[in-house]
Amino acid sequence: MKTNLSITGLIWLITFSMSACQSSTPTHLAITQTPTTLPTPTAAPVNNEKEAIIQQINKLVENYNTVIEAEKKTGNYEVITLTDGTEGFLFTGESLGKVYMEEERVQKEMAALNEEYYALVMKKSPATPTPNPLAQSGNPDKFLEEYLAWSEQESKQGSVVWVYATGDGSYYNILIGESYVALTQWEQELAIARAKLNNLPDKVIEADILEIQRVENSGGQVKFLDIGNFPFYSSDKKLSTYETQSSTYILYSQAHQIIEIEPKQLPPASEGLAKELEQKAREMIALISPEVNLGTLTPAHGAKIGTYFFHWDDSKGQLDNGGYPSIQVGLNGKGELLNYYNTLPLAR
């Protein structure tokens, strides 16, 4: 099978649901034709923890699909023609807002249950799978063919559930259970291929991971996801993306410096004392980016309702995107992290 998809395009495909649903937790989708009749999950005796998680997911989806059908009877929607020529439907008005909120909740809960399932599998079988030689060699083309063939087969015969997507007006199948575990392993191999393509040695990734674990003060699992020019700050400095259980990190691997931290689950806004929060922001900077001297930068702090942004610019520097190099800590009133940005290492 020949394909024109790039390895970057594939990584976008398998993380599509995160951007489509505006969720901080990725949910893995495989696009297939919309079914005319959705399968009804059948309850079975629970023999172990993994089966219990699968039943929770099935029940979650069953309840969600019940909401969809009820809203079609009482709410507002319009019939559309999908790209494959089949019929779909898009909710409108208040119905769209109601269904979207429910979809977002279901996506997050399902992602958490899938991760719980994966953790159980890793706990009982911690051995790392044999690396795919195509990924190790940094040759993405044949590896991409293998992934697409596997994905197509898994969407038909694997462990999947059907979930309606408000943005597309159709149903998608989402891999769960053992199929989700297999997909996660494919993603790890994809990350390896990306690293090899960009000449990012294992020892550099290991050093990045140690830096993240130092900041989180834990020995928890850190996954390497990708490397490239996104987010774009510099045309000649590629950035590496990692994730932990709680956050996504972007690092400038050449110096093992943290450029961004984004919590997967944003804490709610709350009121606090700006002076105390600024002190906490300064302490965070001292921990995460100890090389930064705030005394040489220009403060440009800001605040919205229940959120506080402590920002310092280097007005003498320049980024390739046209902005000033800067450092920022976003906190809510309780001092919980909203975001962390440090583009100072990327200055011209």
Side-chain angles (χ1 to χ4, degrees):
M1 178 177 64
K2 297 295 183 182
T3 178
N4 293 322
L5 281 177
S6 66
I7 197 76
T8 305
L10 175 57
I11 291 173
W12 175 88
L13 175 63
I14 61 179
T15 57
F16 169 76
S17 64
M18 179 173 66
S19 58
C21 300
Q22 299 180 10
S23 170
S24 58
T25 306
T27 304
H28 307 287
L29 300 181
I31 302 174
T32 61
Q33 184 170 332
T34 305
T36 54
T37 304
L38 293 175
T40 301
T42 303
V46 179
N47 297 322
N48 56 47
E49 292 176 279
K50 292 196 296 183
E51 287 185 13
I53 292 172
I54 295 299
Q55 287 201 10
Q56 283 181 269
I57 293 175
N58 283 333
K59 187 63 177 177
L60 186 68
V61 173
E62 182 182 6
N63 291 341
Y64 175 61
N65 288 332
T66 299
V67 170
I68 298 300
E69 293 305 312
E71 195 62 30
K72 285 179 69 177
K73 292 178 180 179
T74 61
N76 299 312
Y77 71 94
E78 58 184 33
V79 177
I80 62 170
T81 300
L82 302 174
T83 55
D84 60 4
T86 59
E87 186 179 280
F89 58 96
L90 283 172
F91 288 103
T92 60
E94 292 184 1
S95 293
L96 175 59
K98 178 180 178 181
V99 173
Y100 174 78
M101 293 296 291
E102 185 68 10
E103 177 193 1
E104 190 176 51
R105 180 188 67 82
V106 169
Q107 291 276 12
K108 288 180 179 180
E109 290 187 19
M110 196 184 315
L113 288 167
N114 259 335
E115 282 296 312
E116 186 178 341
Y117 189 101
Y118 179 79
L120 281 173
V121 171
M122 292 299 100
K123 182 178 180 181
K124 294 180 179 180
S125 305
T128 303
T130 303
N132 188 306
L134 295 174
Q136 292 290 331
S137 67
N139 177 5
D141 294 333
K142 183 64 178 177
F143 185 74
L144 180 56
E145 288 186 14
E146 285 192 1
Y147 168 77
L148 291 173
W150 173 85
S151 181
E152 182 178 359
Q153 186 73 9
E154 199 71 12
S155 68
K156 296 175 181 177
Q157 299 182 359
S159 182
V160 301
V161 291
W162 293 93
V163 175
Y164 174 79
T166 54
D168 299 292
S170 61
Y171 286 85
Y172 289 84
N173 65 33
I174 299 180
L175 302 181
I176 65 171
E178 295 301 320
S179 294
Y180 176 82
V181 172
L183 178 59
T184 301
Q185 292 167 350
W186 273 100
E187 288 179 330
Q188 292 169 354
E189 294 291 331
L190 285 166
I192 290 172
R194 287 287 293 166
K196 300 294 182 182
L197 277 172
N198 287 275
N199 299 313
L200 189 65
D202 292 343
K203 64 180 182 180
V204 173
I205 295 176
E206 290 169 3
D208 281 351
I209 289 174
L210 287 174
E211 178 65 11
I212 292 169
Q213 290 174 331
R214 179 189 70 82
V215 168
E216 287 203 356
N217 191 27
S218 72
Q221 185 181 31
V222 181
K223 294 180 184 178
F224 169 73
L225 298 182
D226 198 8
I227 179 172
N229 291 111
F230 181 82
F232 179 71
Y233 297 114
S234 172
S235 59
D236 61 352
K237 295 183 176 69
K238 293 186 177 181
L239 302 177
S240 305
T241 304
Y242 298 82
E243 72 171 7
T244 66
Q245 185 175 2
S246 62
S247 303
T248 299
Y249 287 78
I250 294 175
L251 277 77
Y252 177 40
S253 293
Q254 184 173 325
H256 309 300
Q257 291 173 304
I258 293 174
I259 304 301
E260 293 187 11
I261 305 175
E262 294 278 358
K264 291 181 179 179
Q265 186 69 44
L266 284 177
S270 58
E271 296 300 320
L273 298 176
K275 185 176 181 179
E276 294 179 2
L277 292 170
E278 181 179 349
Q279 179 59 35
K280 185 173 181 64
R282 289 174 174 271
E283 291 171 359
M284 285 187 177
I285 292 170
L287 170 67
I288 300 169
S289 307
E291 73 283 356
V292 172
N293 181 1
L294 294 178
T296 63
L297 305 177
T298 303
H301 305 330
K304 298 180 181 178
I305 298 175
T307 57
Y308 303 81
F309 302 97
F310 301 98
H311 185 102
W312 291 265
D313 282 324
D314 177 7
S315 56
K316 298 178 181 179
Q318 187 74 37
L319 296 173
D320 287 350
N321 65 7
Y324 288 128
S326 62
I327 190 164
Q328 174 179 295
V329 180
L331 302 171
N332 69 2
K334 295 180 180 179
E336 296 170 313
L337 185 67
L338 301 174
N339 56 52
Y340 184 93
Y341 300 108
N342 176 20
T343 59
L344 298 173
L346 308 178
R348 283 290 180 193

